[in-house]
Amino acid sequence: MKLLLENWRKFINEAGGLDTSWDNVHIDDVFKIIGKSCNEGRKCKSMPATELEQKIKSYGIDEKVIGQLKEGIDSDMYSNRISSMEDLLNYCYKVAGCVGIMMCDVLNITDKRAKYHAIDLGIAMQITNICRDIKEDFSMNRIYLPKDKITKSEMVRRKNNKLFQTTCELIALSNRYYESALEGIKYIPLNTRFSILFALFLYQQIGFKIRDNEENFIIKKANTTKIDKFLSL
């Protein structure tokens, strides 16, 4: 399941951590609740699910947003293939843009304008995920590239210029969302701003690596190197 929280955990570890004052509550715990992996009264890593749910709500996270994230998770498990670019963006909003909204609440960002940029960062990163994981997802019978852009039969052709072109279209789209996200960095508290900015640049680099490697983009999974991370500092 392609949840952006998996990436937030990586960002937190790589960038030195986000001080969210959650005591011993793990990000994993939060999304076990949201992803229905914790049931009422069962223990997660750090505390009972009921207590954890109260902790989440104490940050003022809109239950509507949590519901939208659940819808995205459910659609990932049960729905048919994404049909159009509009459907793709809707999916990315639910499984990743909603996370941006929730992070604003967790970080006590009160300016409503910030949430639009946070949504865009989530969408951008999710599109990058999709472009990076095409082969892996396909092996699990999951296709996130819109059906009206490329068919399944077109994806498996030996010489696959269309697959690369479609992927590059999505990368170009993600870059527009990254640009919007970058404009919103000013709303993030100084003590966490670097972590988010670092994550943004690293993930955008993955898209650039895919775009610049037509010959092997589907064979070798694009990842950032230590040099990329150093240059992003």
Side-chain angles (χ1 to χ4, degrees), residues 19-203:
D19 180 15
T20 58
S21 300
W22 279 45
D23 302 320
N24 66 334
V25 179
H26 296 181
I27 292 293
D28 288 359
D29 293 335
V30 174
F31 283 87
K32 281 188 177 182
I33 286 289
I34 296 169
K36 300 179 182 179
S37 296
C38 284
N39 297 319
E40 190 76 10
R42 283 179 55 191
K43 283 216 174 252
C44 294
K45 287 183 181 177
S46 304
M47 62 173 62
T50 49
E51 186 179 345
L52 178 56
E53 189 168 8
Q54 291 173 1
K55 188 78 171 180
I56 295 169
K57 290 179 179 178
S58 73
Y59 282 88
I61 295 173
D62 190 340
E63 290 189 25
K64 180 180 177 181
V65 175
I66 296 175
Q68 289 174 326
L69 179 56
K70 287 180 178 179
E71 286 178 16
I73 294 169
D74 289 343
S75 71
D76 208 10
M77 292 188 292
Y78 304 121
S79 293
N80 294 322
R81 185 180 169 187
I82 290 171
S83 298
S84 65
M85 190 66 74
E86 182 180 355
D87 290 340
L88 174 65
L89 291 175
N90 184 50
Y91 165 76
C92 289
Y93 163 74
K94 288 181 177 178
V95 300
C98 286
V99 174
I101 296 174
M102 296 171 73
M103 290 302 293
C104 285
D105 292 331
V106 169
L107 297 175
N108 295 314
I109 300 171
T110 57
D111 194 314
K112 292 182 179 179
R113 292 172 293 181
K115 293 190 176 183
Y116 293 103
H117 297 289
I119 288 168
D120 287 348
L121 179 58
I123 290 173
M125 290 179 168
Q126 189 66 15
I127 293 173
T128 299
N129 267 341
I130 288 167
C131 294
R132 182 193 62 187
D133 298 339
I134 292 172
K135 182 179 179 181
E136 180 181 336
D137 290 332
F138 192 88
S139 69
M140 296 184 291
N141 201 30
R142 290 183 176 178
I143 302 174
Y144 294 92
L145 304 183
K147 195 174 183 178
D148 64 358
K149 290 288 184 181
I150 187 168
T151 65
K152 187 173 182 178
S153 60
E154 288 173 324
M155 289 184 67
V156 296
R157 289 178 180 172
R158 181 177 289 273
K159 291 186 177 181
N160 213 327
N161 293 331
K162 187 165 185 180
L163 178 58
F164 182 69
Q165 291 169 1
T166 302
T167 305
C168 287
E169 283 182 37
L170 291 184
I171 291 169
L173 177 63
S174 74
N175 286 332
R176 295 202 290 273
Y177 282 95
Y178 280 122
E179 288 171 8
S180 170
L182 192 58
E183 291 175 7
I185 289 293
K186 60 180 176 285
Y187 298 111
I188 299 173
L190 287 174
N191 64 328
T192 55
R193 189 175 297 177
F194 174 76
S195 297
I196 306 300
L197 191 60
F198 186 56
L200 186 158
F201 285 136
L202 282 183
Y203 240 58

